Amino acid sequence: MGYDDQNIFAKILRGEIPCDKVFESEHALAFRDINPLAPVHVLVIPKGAYVSMDDFSANASDAEIADYIRALGTVARELDLQESGYRILANHGRDAHQEVPHLHIHLFGKRDMKGMLPKQA
Ligand code: 5GP
């Protein structure tokens, strides 16, 4: 799947749409989800044009990958989640119901997140 530069996160990265930014580094941006599922629900995205973790893990540079992973940890610490705990989640493709085709890792905190996934029907 090619990268669609009209996706909503590409527009946020270009400053065409506002976001509630919590952190920025050379290769990453973190901002609050517009429809939060937890008291802390932040999206951490790479600044590069990567569709998903599949694309990013195959094609991003080592510098981008290192900066992105460090950004995730930094955001969690800056939001004071390291003691209470947090969950990170990235959806890729159809089965995971990925909605926005620009890699994003959800960072959830400040609630009990119960089990991993609902049991299969
Ligand atoms: P996905 O299902 O692709 O993993 O998650 C996409 C996420 O992006 C959803 O949690 C949704 O609420 C969030 N989202 C969609 N549009 C916007 C937007 O314009 N701004 C922000 N901050 N989040 C958005």
Side-chain angles (χ1 to χ4, degrees), residues 8-9 12 17 31-35 41 43 91 97-100 104 106:
I8 201 89
F9 295 166
I12 285 174
I17 289 179
F31 52 90
R32 293 188 191 276
D33 196 290
I34 205 167
N35 184 24
H41 184 174
L43 302 170
N91 293 315
H97 294 257
Q98 180 180 5
E99 286 173 16
V100 180
H104 48 286
H106 298 255

Side-chain angles (χ1 to χ4, degrees), residues 15-89:
E16 294 166 15
I17 289 179
C19 72
D20 185 358
K21 181 168 88 174
V22 297
F23 179 81
E24 184 169 7
S25 63
E26 185 180 0
H27 295 295
L29 177 70
F31 52 90
R32 293 188 191 276
D33 196 290
I34 205 167
N35 184 24
L37 299 175
V40 172
H41 184 174
V42 167
L43 302 170
V44 186
I45 71 173
K47 289 183 175 175
Y50 299 103
V51 175
S52 67
M53 185 58 82
D54 180 64
D55 185 13
F56 186 70
S57 60
N59 299 313
S61 67
D62 290 356
E64 289 176 297
I65 292 171
D67 182 85
Y68 184 56
I69 296 299
R70 286 201 190 281
L72 259 177
T74 300
V75 171
R77 282 189 296 277
E78 287 192 352
L79 295 173
D80 199 28
L81 300 177
Q82 75 275 34
E83 290 296 327
S84 54
Y86 57 90
R87 179 169 291 170
I88 56 176
L89 181 153

